Every structure is written in structure tokens, then in C-alpha cells.
Amino acid sequence: VKAALDAGYRHIDTAEVYGNEKEIGQALKEKIGEGIRREDLFIVSKLWNTRHHPDDVLPACKKSLENLGLDYLDLYLMHFPIAWARGDKLMPINADGKAEHSDVHFMDTWKAMEKLVDEGLVKAIGVS
């Protein structure tokens, strides 16, 4: 990430499920202020499928912000518009070996994501 920023890259795309937000945050911490301004970067993260319940959206976003060492994201995407079982297991699998789904409707997730914009935690939202 540091080499990419040094080379002129200004768009950083990450997600909780990629497992690299802390490392990206460390690189950003080292580079912001060293000739790179936060407002010149476009940073994207994504809400994972197990965090679709409206009560989980804000904490998930705040965790990504904390990991990245940022005050806001430029874009926060719903990684997939399909909710999986809530919890810390990122890949919940049922007895049949398939993803364990949840009945949370993606529009309920979307409404919770809209509040993130209202609170200034993200500038824009979307679906990946």
C-alpha cells in the first residue's frame, strides 16, 4: 500500500473479510501527512454479509474506521445484498455445507447504511 501511494495511487479498496484493514490503516498512518492528504484519497470498505442486521451496521463501520485509522470512508459498500447468519464467523456454513442465510432484507440494511451518511461516517454508500 505504501509503494502504491508513493507511485501515485489514490484509491484504496478493502473490506472486513479481506482481513487487511489494520495493515492498510498502518500504511495510511505513515503516509498521510507525508506529502499525502486524506482528502486526496478515495477509500472504500465493505459491510460483510454477517453484519447486515441493522443493529450491526454501525458497529461494523466503526470497526473498519478504527482499523483503518480514519474518521470517514469515501464509500461504504454492502459487499453482497444477501444476509448471512449474524455473528463473528465470517463464513457461516449450515449442515448441508452451504452458506447459512438470514432473513434480514437488504433494504433494512440499506436504511441502516443511510444513517452512516447522515452521521458523517461515510460520504456515500452502494452495493458491490
Side-chain angles (χ1 to χ4, degrees):
V1 173
K2 290 187 287 186
L5 292 170
D6 287 342
Y9 286 74
R10 294 297 181 260
H11 178 186
I12 305 293
D13 181 276
T14 189
E16 174 189 9
V17 74
Y18 299 166
N20 63 358
E21 287 181 331
K22 286 183 180 179
E23 292 80 3
I24 290 173
Q26 183 60 43
L28 292 172
K29 180 180 177 182
E30 292 176 29
K31 290 297 180 178
I32 292 175
E34 187 183 279
I36 296 175
R37 300 178 316 159
R38 169 60 182 99
E39 56 268 24
D40 293 332
L41 301 174
F42 192 88
I43 302 177
V44 180
S45 193
K46 300 171 196 79
L47 178 72
W48 187 237
N49 304 10
T50 57
R51 314 280 189 233
H52 279 224
H53 189 281
D55 292 344
D56 297 335
V57 172
L58 177 62
C61 181
K62 285 185 172 183
K63 183 66 172 172
S64 288
L65 288 169
E66 176 186 325
N67 287 340
L68 292 164
L70 300 174
D71 297 324
Y72 69 92
L73 293 168
D74 296 283
L75 178 61
Y76 196 49
L77 298 172
M78 191 182 312
H79 211 131
F80 297 98
I82 300 167
W84 287 356
R86 289 176 84 181
D88 290 326
K89 189 173 184 181
L90 294 179
M91 303 288 182
I93 303 299
N94 65 22
D96 296 330
K98 297 180 183 174
E100 186 177 345
H101 291 90
S102 165
D103 63 356
V104 175
H105 194 278
F106 73 92
M107 286 305 298
D108 294 329
T109 306
W110 184 264
K111 289 173 189 169
M113 291 175 72
E114 287 178 334
K115 293 177 184 174
L116 302 175
V117 176
D118 296 339
E119 293 182 27
L121 297 174
V122 303
K123 292 194 176 222
I125 56 174
V127 178
S128 177

mmCIF file with all atom_site columns, all heavy atoms in Angstrom, residues 47 51-58 106-117 119 125:
data_model
loop_
_atom_site.group_PDB
_atom_site.id
_atom_site.type_symbol
_atom_site.label_atom_id
_atom_site.label_alt_id
_atom_site.label_comp_id
_atom_site.label_asym_id
_atom_site.label_entity_id
_atom_site.label_seq_id
_atom_site.pdbx_PDB_ins_code
_atom_site.Cartn_x
_atom_site.Cartn_y
_atom_site.Cartn_z
_atom_site.occupancy
_atom_site.B_iso_or_equiv
_atom_site.pdbx_formal_charge
_atom_site.auth_seq_id
_atom_site.auth_comp_id
_atom_site.auth_asym_id
_atom_site.auth_atom_id
_atom_site.pdbx_PDB_model_num
ATOM 1   N N   . LEU A 1 47  ? -19.307 -3.667 3.938  1.00 0.00 ? 47  LEU A N   1
ATOM 2   C CA  . LEU A 1 47  ? -20.062 -4.326 5.007  1.00 0.00 ? 47  LEU A CA  1
ATOM 3   C C   . LEU A 1 47  ? -20.205 -5.794 4.654  1.00 0.00 ? 47  LEU A C   1
ATOM 4   O O   . LEU A 1 47  ? -20.741 -6.133 3.587  1.00 0.00 ? 47  LEU A O   1
ATOM 5   C CB  . LEU A 1 47  ? -21.436 -3.670 5.137  1.00 0.00 ? 47  LEU A CB  1
ATOM 6   C CG  . LEU A 1 47  ? -22.372 -4.262 6.182  1.00 0.00 ? 47  LEU A CG  1
ATOM 7   C CD1 . LEU A 1 47  ? -21.886 -3.907 7.587  1.00 0.00 ? 47  LEU A CD1 1
ATOM 8   C CD2 . LEU A 1 47  ? -23.793 -3.764 5.963  1.00 0.00 ? 47  LEU A CD2 1
ATOM 9   N N   . ARG A 1 51  ? -23.030 -8.971 8.803  1.00 0.00 ? 51  ARG A N   1
ATOM 10  C CA  . ARG A 1 51  ? -23.259 -7.714 9.520  1.00 0.00 ? 51  ARG A CA  1
ATOM 11  C C   . ARG A 1 51  ? -24.455 -6.952 8.963  1.00 0.00 ? 51  ARG A C   1
ATOM 12  O O   . ARG A 1 51  ? -24.575 -5.758 9.151  1.00 0.00 ? 51  ARG A O   1
ATOM 13  C CB  . ARG A 1 51  ? -22.018 -6.809 9.432  1.00 0.00 ? 51  ARG A CB  1
ATOM 14  C CG  . ARG A 1 51  ? -20.708 -7.494 9.699  1.00 0.00 ? 51  ARG A CG  1
ATOM 15  C CD  . ARG A 1 51  ? -20.448 -7.676 11.173 1.00 0.00 ? 51  ARG A CD  1
ATOM 16  N NE  . ARG A 1 51  ? -19.088 -8.153 11.380 1.00 0.00 ? 51  ARG A NE  1
ATOM 17  C CZ  . ARG A 1 51  ? -18.787 -9.213 12.087 1.00 0.00 ? 51  ARG A CZ  1
ATOM 18  N NH1 . ARG A 1 51  ? -19.722 -9.907 12.690 1.00 0.00 ? 51  ARG A NH1 1
ATOM 19  N NH2 . ARG A 1 51  ? -17.522 -9.583 12.232 1.00 0.00 ? 51  ARG A NH2 1
ATOM 20  N N   . HIS A 1 52  ? -25.352 -7.642 8.263  1.00 0.00 ? 52  HIS A N   1
ATOM 21  C CA  . HIS A 1 52  ? -26.480 -6.975 7.620  1.00 0.00 ? 52  HIS A CA  1
ATOM 22  C C   . HIS A 1 52  ? -27.596 -6.558 8.563  1.00 0.00 ? 52  HIS A C   1
ATOM 23  O O   . HIS A 1 52  ? -28.394 -5.690 8.211  1.00 0.00 ? 52  HIS A O   1
ATOM 24  C CB  . HIS A 1 52  ? -27.065 -7.868 6.522  1.00 0.00 ? 52  HIS A CB  1
ATOM 25  C CG  . HIS A 1 52  ? -26.302 -7.810 5.252  1.00 0.00 ? 52  HIS A CG  1
ATOM 26  N ND1 . HIS A 1 52  ? -26.922 -7.725 4.036  1.00 0.00 ? 52  HIS A ND1 1
ATOM 27  C CD2 . HIS A 1 52  ? -24.975 -7.817 4.992  1.00 0.00 ? 52  HIS A CD2 1
ATOM 28  C CE1 . HIS A 1 52  ? -26.010 -7.689 3.079  1.00 0.00 ? 52  HIS A CE1 1
ATOM 29  N NE2 . HIS A 1 52  ? -24.818 -7.748 3.637  1.00 0.00 ? 52  HIS A NE2 1
ATOM 30  N N   . HIS A 1 53  ? -27.680 -7.177 9.724  1.00 0.00 ? 53  HIS A N   1
ATOM 31  C CA  . HIS A 1 53  ? -28.737 -6.774 10.651 1.00 0.00 ? 53  HIS A CA  1
ATOM 32  C C   . HIS A 1 53  ? -28.541 -5.288 10.953 1.00 0.00 ? 53  HIS A C   1
ATOM 33  O O   . HIS A 1 53  ? -27.413 -4.842 11.197 1.00 0.00 ? 53  HIS A O   1
ATOM 34  C CB  . HIS A 1 53  ? -28.684 -7.604 11.935 1.00 0.00 ? 53  HIS A CB  1
ATOM 35  C CG  . HIS A 1 53  ? -29.870 -7.382 12.804 1.00 0.00 ? 53  HIS A CG  1
ATOM 36  N ND1 . HIS A 1 53  ? -30.010 -6.275 13.620 1.00 0.00 ? 53  HIS A ND1 1
ATOM 37  C CD2 . HIS A 1 53  ? -30.991 -8.115 12.962 1.00 0.00 ? 53  HIS A CD2 1
ATOM 38  C CE1 . HIS A 1 53  ? -31.157 -6.332 14.247 1.00 0.00 ? 53  HIS A CE1 1
ATOM 39  N NE2 . HIS A 1 53  ? -31.779 -7.448 13.877 1.00 0.00 ? 53  HIS A NE2 1
ATOM 40  N N   . PRO A 1 54  ? -29.618 -4.496 10.927 1.00 0.00 ? 54  PRO A N   1
ATOM 41  C CA  . PRO A 1 54  ? -29.475 -3.051 11.159 1.00 0.00 ? 54  PRO A CA  1
ATOM 42  C C   . PRO A 1 54  ? -28.699 -2.694 12.425 1.00 0.00 ? 54  PRO A C   1
ATOM 43  O O   . PRO A 1 54  ? -27.982 -1.690 12.442 1.00 0.00 ? 54  PRO A O   1
ATOM 44  C CB  . PRO A 1 54  ? -30.923 -2.564 11.225 1.00 0.00 ? 54  PRO A CB  1
ATOM 45  C CG  . PRO A 1 54  ? -31.667 -3.520 10.336 1.00 0.00 ? 54  PRO A CG  1
ATOM 46  C CD  . PRO A 1 54  ? -30.999 -4.856 10.576 1.00 0.00 ? 54  PRO A CD  1
ATOM 47  N N   . ASP A 1 55  ? -28.793 -3.508 13.455 1.00 0.00 ? 55  ASP A N   1
ATOM 48  C CA  . ASP A 1 55  ? -28.058 -3.237 14.695 1.00 0.00 ? 55  ASP A CA  1
ATOM 49  C C   . ASP A 1 55  ? -26.550 -3.466 14.543 1.00 0.00 ? 55  ASP A C   1
ATOM 50  O O   . ASP A 1 55  ? -25.770 -3.028 15.386 1.00 0.00 ? 55  ASP A O   1
ATOM 51  C CB  . ASP A 1 55  ? -28.574 -4.117 15.835 1.00 0.00 ? 55  ASP A CB  1
ATOM 52  C CG  . ASP A 1 55  ? -29.984 -3.755 16.272 1.00 0.00 ? 55  ASP A CG  1
ATOM 53  O OD1 . ASP A 1 55  ? -30.457 -2.645 15.929 1.00 0.00 ? 55  ASP A OD1 1
ATOM 54  O OD2 . ASP A 1 55  ? -30.614 -4.583 16.948 1.00 0.00 ? 55  ASP A OD2 1
ATOM 55  N N   . ASP A 1 56  ? -26.137 -4.163 13.494 1.00 0.00 ? 56  ASP A N   1
ATOM 56  C CA  . ASP A 1 56  ? -24.723 -4.491 13.295 1.00 0.00 ? 56  ASP A CA  1
ATOM 57  C C   . ASP A 1 56  ? -24.008 -3.541 12.341 1.00 0.00 ? 56  ASP A C   1
ATOM 58  O O   . ASP A 1 56  ? -22.777 -3.541 12.275 1.00 0.00 ? 56  ASP A O   1
ATOM 59  C CB  . ASP A 1 56  ? -24.588 -5.923 12.757 1.00 0.00 ? 56  ASP A CB  1
ATOM 60  C CG  . ASP A 1 56  ? -25.115 -6.965 13.725 1.00 0.00 ? 56  ASP A CG  1
ATOM 61  O OD1 . ASP A 1 56  ? -25.145 -6.690 14.943 1.00 0.00 ? 56  ASP A OD1 1
ATOM 62  O OD2 . ASP A 1 56  ? -25.505 -8.052 13.256 1.00 0.00 ? 56  ASP A OD2 1
ATOM 63  N N   . VAL A 1 57  ? -24.769 -2.746 11.596 1.00 0.00 ? 57  VAL A N   1
ATOM 64  C CA  . VAL A 1 57  ? -24.174 -1.895 10.551 1.00 0.00 ? 57  VAL A CA  1
ATOM 65  C C   . VAL A 1 57  ? -23.259 -0.824 11.141 1.00 0.00 ? 57  VAL A C   1
ATOM 66  O O   . VAL A 1 57  ? -22.107 -0.687 10.717 1.00 0.00 ? 57  VAL A O   1
ATOM 67  C CB  . VAL A 1 57  ? -25.280 -1.282 9.668  1.00 0.00 ? 57  VAL A CB  1
ATOM 68  C CG1 . VAL A 1 57  ? -24.700 -0.257 8.709  1.00 0.00 ? 57  VAL A CG1 1
ATOM 69  C CG2 . VAL A 1 57  ? -26.023 -2.379 8.906  1.00 0.00 ? 57  VAL A CG2 1
ATOM 70  N N   . LEU A 1 58  ? -23.741 -0.065 12.105 1.00 0.00 ? 58  LEU A N   1
ATOM 71  C CA  . LEU A 1 58  ? -22.928 0.997  12.706 1.00 0.00 ? 58  LEU A CA  1
ATOM 72  C C   . LEU A 1 58  ? -21.670 0.431  13.375 1.00 0.00 ? 58  LEU A C   1
ATOM 73  O O   . LEU A 1 58  ? -20.561 0.929  13.106 1.00 0.00 ? 58  LEU A O   1
ATOM 74  C CB  . LEU A 1 58  ? -23.751 1.824  13.690 1.00 0.00 ? 58  LEU A CB  1
ATOM 75  C CG  . LEU A 1 58  ? -22.990 2.925  14.444 1.00 0.00 ? 58  LEU A CG  1
ATOM 76  C CD1 . LEU A 1 58  ? -22.429 3.966  13.482 1.00 0.00 ? 58  LEU A CD1 1
ATOM 77  C CD2 . LEU A 1 58  ? -23.916 3.585  15.465 1.00 0.00 ? 58  LEU A CD2 1
ATOM 78  N N   . PHE A 1 106 ? -32.334 -6.793 2.437  1.00 0.00 ? 106 PHE A N   1
ATOM 79  C CA  . PHE A 1 106 ? -31.249 -5.855 2.105  1.00 0.00 ? 106 PHE A CA  1
ATOM 80  C C   . PHE A 1 106 ? -31.669 -4.396 2.225  1.00 0.00 ? 106 PHE A C   1
ATOM 81  O O   . PHE A 1 106 ? -30.831 -3.524 2.473  1.00 0.00 ? 106 PHE A O   1
ATOM 82  C CB  . PHE A 1 106 ? -30.669 -6.148 0.714  1.00 0.00 ? 106 PHE A CB  1
ATOM 83  C CG  . PHE A 1 106 ? -31.548 -5.764 -0.434 1.00 0.00 ? 106 PHE A CG  1
ATOM 84  C CD1 . PHE A 1 106 ? -31.428 -4.506 -1.014 1.00 0.00 ? 106 PHE A CD1 1
ATOM 85  C CD2 . PHE A 1 106 ? -32.484 -6.656 -0.940 1.00 0.00 ? 106 PHE A CD2 1
ATOM 86  C CE1 . PHE A 1 106 ? -32.232 -4.144 -2.079 1.00 0.00 ? 106 PHE A CE1 1
ATOM 87  C CE2 . PHE A 1 106 ? -33.290 -6.300 -1.999 1.00 0.00 ? 106 PHE A CE2 1
ATOM 88  C CZ  . PHE A 1 106 ? -33.164 -5.038 -2.570 1.00 0.00 ? 106 PHE A CZ  1
ATOM 89  N N   . MET A 1 107 ? -32.958 -4.103 2.096  1.00 0.00 ? 107 MET A N   1
ATOM 90  C CA  . MET A 1 107 ? -33.405 -2.712 2.244  1.00 0.00 ? 107 MET A CA  1
ATOM 91  C C   . MET A 1 107 ? -33.328 -2.255 3.697  1.00 0.00 ? 107 MET A C   1
ATOM 92  O O   . MET A 1 107 ? -33.120 -1.067 3.957  1.00 0.00 ? 107 MET A O   1
ATOM 93  C CB  . MET A 1 107 ? -34.809 -2.516 1.674  1.00 0.00 ? 107 MET A CB  1
ATOM 94  C CG  . MET A 1 107 ? -34.850 -2.512 0.153  1.00 0.00 ? 107 MET A CG  1
ATOM 95  S SD  . MET A 1 107 ? -33.740 -1.285 -0.610 1.00 0.00 ? 107 MET A SD  1
ATOM 96  C CE  . MET A 1 107 ? -34.391 0.250  0.016  1.00 0.00 ? 107 MET A CE  1
ATOM 97  N N   . ASP A 1 108 ? -33.482 -3.174 4.643  1.00 0.00 ? 108 ASP A N   1
ATOM 98  C CA  . ASP A 1 108 ? -33.303 -2.825 6.055  1.00 0.00 ? 108 ASP A CA  1
ATOM 99  C C   . ASP A 1 108 ? -31.827 -2.497 6.322  1.00 0.00 ? 108 ASP A C   1
ATOM 100 O O   . ASP A 1 108 ? -31.512 -1.570 7.070  1.00 0.00 ? 108 ASP A O   1
ATOM 101 C CB  . ASP A 1 108 ? -33.778 -3.959 6.961  1.00 0.00 ? 108 ASP A CB  1
ATOM 102 C CG  . ASP A 1 108 ? -35.283 -4.171 6.864  1.00 0.00 ? 108 ASP A CG  1
ATOM 103 O OD1 . ASP A 1 108 ? -36.016 -3.185 6.618  1.00 0.00 ? 108 ASP A OD1 1
ATOM 104 O OD2 . ASP A 1 108 ? -35.720 -5.328 7.001  1.00 0.00 ? 108 ASP A OD2 1
ATOM 105 N N   . THR A 1 109 ? -30.947 -3.265 5.692  1.00 0.00 ? 109 THR A N   1
ATOM 106 C CA  . THR A 1 109 ? -29.509 -2.981 5.790  1.00 0.00 ? 109 THR A CA  1
ATOM 107 C C   . THR A 1 109 ? -29.213 -1.627 5.167  1.00 0.00 ? 109 THR A C   1
ATOM 108 O O   . THR A 1 109 ? -28.486 -0.805 5.739  1.00 0.00 ? 109 THR A O   1
ATOM 109 C CB  . THR A 1 109 ? -28.704 -4.087 5.080  1.00 0.00 ? 109 THR A CB  1
ATOM 110 O OG1 . THR A 1 109 ? -29.090 -5.357 5.602  1.00 0.00 ? 109 THR A OG1 1
ATOM 111 C CG2 . THR A 1 109 ? -27.210 -3.867 5.238  1.00 0.00 ? 109 THR A CG2 1
ATOM 112 N N   . TRP A 1 110 ? -29.780 -1.384 4.005  1.00 0.00 ? 110 TRP A N   1
ATOM 113 C CA  . TRP A 1 110 ? -29.561 -0.117 3.292  1.00 0.00 ? 110 TRP A CA  1
ATOM 114 C C   . TRP A 1 110 ? -29.987 1.086  4.143  1.00 0.00 ? 110 TRP A C   1
ATOM 115 O O   . TRP A 1 110 ? -29.261 2.077  4.235  1.00 0.00 ? 110 TRP A O   1
ATOM 116 C CB  . TRP A 1 110 ? -30.321 -0.130 1.977  1.00 0.00 ? 110 TRP A CB  1
ATOM 117 C CG  . TRP A 1 110 ? -30.066 1.092  1.154  1.00 0.00 ? 110 TRP A CG  1
ATOM 118 C CD1 . TRP A 1 110 ? -30.834 2.218  1.104  1.00 0.00 ? 110 TRP A CD1 1
ATOM 119 C CD2 . TRP A 1 110 ? -28.947 1.333  0.308  1.00 0.00 ? 110 TRP A CD2 1
ATOM 120 N NE1 . TRP A 1 110 ? -30.274 3.144  0.256  1.00 0.00 ? 110 TRP A NE1 1
ATOM 121 C CE2 . TRP A 1 110 ? -29.107 2.620  -0.246 1.00 0.00 ? 110 TRP A CE2 1
ATOM 122 C CE3 . TRP A 1 110 ? -27.823 0.585  -0.049 1.00 0.00 ? 110 TRP A CE3 1
ATOM 123 C CZ2 . TRP A 1 110 ? -28.192 3.177  -1.140 1.00 0.00 ? 110 TRP A CZ2 1
ATOM 124 C CZ3 . TRP A 1 110 ? -26.922 1.135  -0.933 1.00 0.00 ? 110 TRP A CZ3 1
ATOM 125 C CH2 . TRP A 1 110 ? -27.106 2.413  -1.460 1.00 0.00 ? 110 TRP A CH2 1
ATOM 126 N N   . LYS A 1 111 ? -31.145 0.974  4.773  1.00 0.00 ? 111 LYS A N   1
ATOM 127 C CA  . LYS A 1 111 ? -31.625 2.080  5.613  1.00 0.00 ? 111 LYS A CA  1
ATOM 128 C C   . LYS A 1 111 ? -30.654 2.358  6.761  1.00 0.00 ? 111 LYS A C   1
ATOM 129 O O   . LYS A 1 111 ? -30.417 3.517  7.116  1.00 0.00 ? 111 LYS A O   1
ATOM 130 C CB  . LYS A 1 111 ? -33.026 1.773  6.144  1.00 0.00 ? 111 LYS A CB  1
ATOM 131 C CG  . LYS A 1 111 ? -34.096 1.837  5.060  1.00 0.00 ? 111 LYS A CG  1
ATOM 132 C CD  . LYS A 1 111 ? -35.441 1.367  5.570  1.00 0.00 ? 111 LYS A CD  1
ATOM 133 C CE  . LYS A 1 111 ? -36.417 1.249  4.412  1.00 0.00 ? 111 LYS A CE  1
ATOM 134 N NZ  . LYS A 1 111 ? -37.647 0.571  4.798  1.00 0.00 ? 111 LYS A NZ  1
ATOM 135 N N   . ALA A 1 112 ? -30.098 1.300  7.335  1.00 0.00 ? 112 ALA A N   1
ATOM 136 C CA  . ALA A 1 112 ? -29.110 1.485  8.405  1.00 0.00 ? 112 ALA A CA  1
ATOM 137 C C   . ALA A 1 112 ? -27.840 2.128  7.845  1.00 0.00 ? 112 ALA A C   1
ATOM 138 O O   . ALA A 1 112 ? -27.203 2.954  8.508  1.00 0.00 ? 112 ALA A O   1
ATOM 139 C CB  . ALA A 1 112 ? -28.793 0.146  9.066  1.00 0.00 ? 112 ALA A CB  1
ATOM 140 N N   . MET A 1 113 ? -27.477 1.784  6.617  1.00 0.00 ? 113 MET A N   1
ATOM 141 C CA  . MET A 1 113 ? -26.297 2.379  5.984  1.00 0.00 ? 113 MET A CA  1
ATOM 142 C C   . MET A 1 113 ? -26.522 3.858  5.676  1.00 0.00 ? 113 MET A C   1
ATOM 143 O O   . MET A 1 113 ? -25.593 4.660  5.759  1.00 0.00 ? 113 MET A O   1
ATOM 144 C CB  . MET A 1 113 ? -25.928 1.603  4.717  1.00 0.00 ? 113 MET A CB  1
ATOM 145 C CG  . MET A 1 113 ? -25.391 0.209  4.999  1.00 0.00 ? 113 MET A CG  1
ATOM 146 S SD  . MET A 1 113 ? -25.077 -0.759 3.502  1.00 0.00 ? 113 MET A SD  1
ATOM 147 C CE  . MET A 1 113 ? -23.621 0.090  2.864  1.00 0.00 ? 113 MET A CE  1
ATOM 148 N N   . GLU A 1 114 ? -27.745 4.227  5.341  1.00 0.00 ? 114 GLU A N   1
ATOM 149 C CA  . GLU A 1 114 ? -28.052 5.643  5.087  1.00 0.00 ? 114 GLU A CA  1
ATOM 150 C C   . GLU A 1 114 ? -27.746 6.497  6.326  1.00 0.00 ? 114 GLU A C   1
ATOM 151 O O   . GLU A 1 114 ? -27.301 7.634  6.206  1.00 0.00 ? 114 GLU A O   1
ATOM 152 C CB  . GLU A 1 114 ? -29.517 5.813  4.693  1.00 0.00 ? 114 GLU A CB  1
ATOM 153 C CG  . GLU A 1 114 ? -29.823 5.325  3.295  1.00 0.00 ? 114 GLU A CG  1
ATOM 154 C CD  . GLU A 1 114 ? -31.292 5.451  2.923  1.00 0.00 ? 114 GLU A CD  1
ATOM 155 O OE1 . GLU A 1 114 ? -32.168 5.448  3.833  1.00 0.00 ? 114 GLU A OE1 1
ATOM 156 O OE2 . GLU A 1 114 ? -31.576 5.540  1.712  1.00 0.00 ? 114 GLU A OE2 1
ATOM 157 N N   . LYS A 1 115 ? -27.966 5.923  7.496  1.00 0.00 ? 115 LYS A N   1
ATOM 158 C CA  . LYS A 1 115 ? -27.679 6.650  8.742  1.00 0.00 ? 115 LYS A CA  1
ATOM 159 C C   . LYS A 1 115 ? -26.186 6.944  8.888  1.00 0.00 ? 115 LYS A C   1
ATOM 160 O O   . LYS A 1 115 ? -25.806 7.939  9.499  1.00 0.00 ? 115 LYS A O   1
ATOM 161 C CB  . LYS A 1 115 ? -28.194 5.861  9.951  1.00 0.00 ? 115 LYS A CB  1
ATOM 162 C CG  . LYS A 1 115 ? -29.710 5.769  9.996  1.00 0.00 ? 115 LYS A CG  1
ATOM 163 C CD  . LYS A 1 115 ? -30.188 4.922  11.150 1.00 0.00 ? 115 LYS A CD  1
ATOM 164 C CE  . LYS A 1 115 ? -31.699 4.767  11.107 1.00 0.00 ? 115 LYS A CE  1
ATOM 165 N NZ  . LYS A 1 115 ? -32.187 3.840  12.140 1.00 0.00 ? 115 LYS A NZ  1
ATOM 166 N N   . LEU A 1 116 ? -25.344 6.084  8.330  1.00 0.00 ? 116 LEU A N   1
ATOM 167 C CA  . LEU A 1 116 ? -23.898 6.315  8.377  1.00 0.00 ? 116 LEU A CA  1
ATOM 168 C C   . LEU A 1 116 ? -23.532 7.578  7.609  1.00 0.00 ? 116 LEU A C   1
ATOM 169 O O   . LEU A 1 116 ? -22.649 8.326  8.021  1.00 0.00 ? 116 LEU A O   1
ATOM 170 C CB  . LEU A 1 116 ? -23.144 5.118  7.792  1.00 0.00 ? 116 LEU A CB  1
ATOM 171 C CG  . LEU A 1 116 ? -23.381 3.758  8.444  1.00 0.00 ? 116 LEU A CG  1
ATOM 172 C CD1 . LEU A 1 116 ? -22.661 2.669  7.656  1.00 0.00 ? 116 LEU A CD1 1
ATOM 173 C CD2 . LEU A 1 116 ? -22.953 3.761  9.900  1.00 0.00 ? 116 LEU A CD2 1
ATOM 174 N N   . VAL A 1 117 ? -24.224 7.806  6.506  1.00 0.00 ? 117 VAL A N   1
ATOM 175 C CA  . VAL A 1 117 ? -24.018 9.036  5.724  1.00 0.00 ? 117 VAL A CA  1
ATOM 176 C C   . VAL A 1 117 ? -24.478 10.232 6.546  1.00 0.00 ? 117 VAL A C   1
ATOM 177 O O   . VAL A 1 117 ? -23.758 11.229 6.662  1.00 0.00 ? 117 VAL A O   1
ATOM 178 C CB  . VAL A 1 117 ? -24.764 8.976  4.371  1.00 0.00 ? 117 VAL A CB  1
ATOM 179 C CG1 . VAL A 1 117 ? -24.610 10.298 3.615  1.00 0.00 ? 117 VAL A CG1 1
ATOM 180 C CG2 . VAL A 1 117 ? -24.268 7.814  3.516  1.00 0.00 ? 117 VAL A CG2 1
ATOM 181 N N   . GLU A 1 119 ? -24.591 10.570 9.656  1.00 0.00 ? 119 GLU A N   1
ATOM 182 C CA  . GLU A 1 119 ? -23.692 10.797 10.791 1.00 0.00 ? 119 GLU A CA  1
ATOM 183 C C   . GLU A 1 119 ? -22.293 11.236 10.358 1.00 0.00 ? 119 GLU A C   1
ATOM 184 O O   . GLU A 1 119 ? -21.439 11.505 11.201 1.00 0.00 ? 119 GLU A O   1
ATOM 185 C CB  . GLU A 1 119 ? -23.608 9.537  11.652 1.00 0.00 ? 119 GLU A CB  1
ATOM 186 C CG  . GLU A 1 119 ? -24.915 9.211  12.351 1.00 0.00 ? 119 GLU A CG  1
ATOM 187 C CD  . GLU A 1 119 ? -24.823 7.984  13.241 1.00 0.00 ? 119 GLU A CD  1
ATOM 188 O OE1 . GLU A 1 119 ? -23.722 7.670  13.731 1.00 0.00 ? 119 GLU A OE1 1
ATOM 189 O OE2 . GLU A 1 119 ? -25.863 7.342  13.451 1.00 0.00 ? 119 GLU A OE2 1
ATOM 190 N N   . ILE A 1 125 ? -22.749 5.495  -0.079 1.00 0.00 ? 125 ILE A N   1
ATOM 191 C CA  . ILE A 1 125 ? -22.982 4.070  0.112  1.00 0.00 ? 125 ILE A CA  1
ATOM 192 C C   . ILE A 1 125 ? -23.364 3.443  -1.221 1.00 0.00 ? 125 ILE A C   1
ATOM 193 O O   . ILE A 1 125 ? -23.757 4.154  -2.157 1.00 0.00 ? 125 ILE A O   1
ATOM 194 C CB  . ILE A 1 125 ? -24.062 3.791  1.185  1.00 0.00 ? 125 ILE A CB  1
ATOM 195 C CG1 . ILE A 1 125 ? -25.387 4.502  0.843  1.00 0.00 ? 125 ILE A CG1 1
ATOM 196 C CG2 . ILE A 1 125 ? -23.570 4.193  2.565  1.00 0.00 ? 125 ILE A CG2 1
ATOM 197 C CD1 . ILE A 1 125 ? -26.536 4.159  1.783  1.00 0.00 ? 125 ILE A CD1 1
#
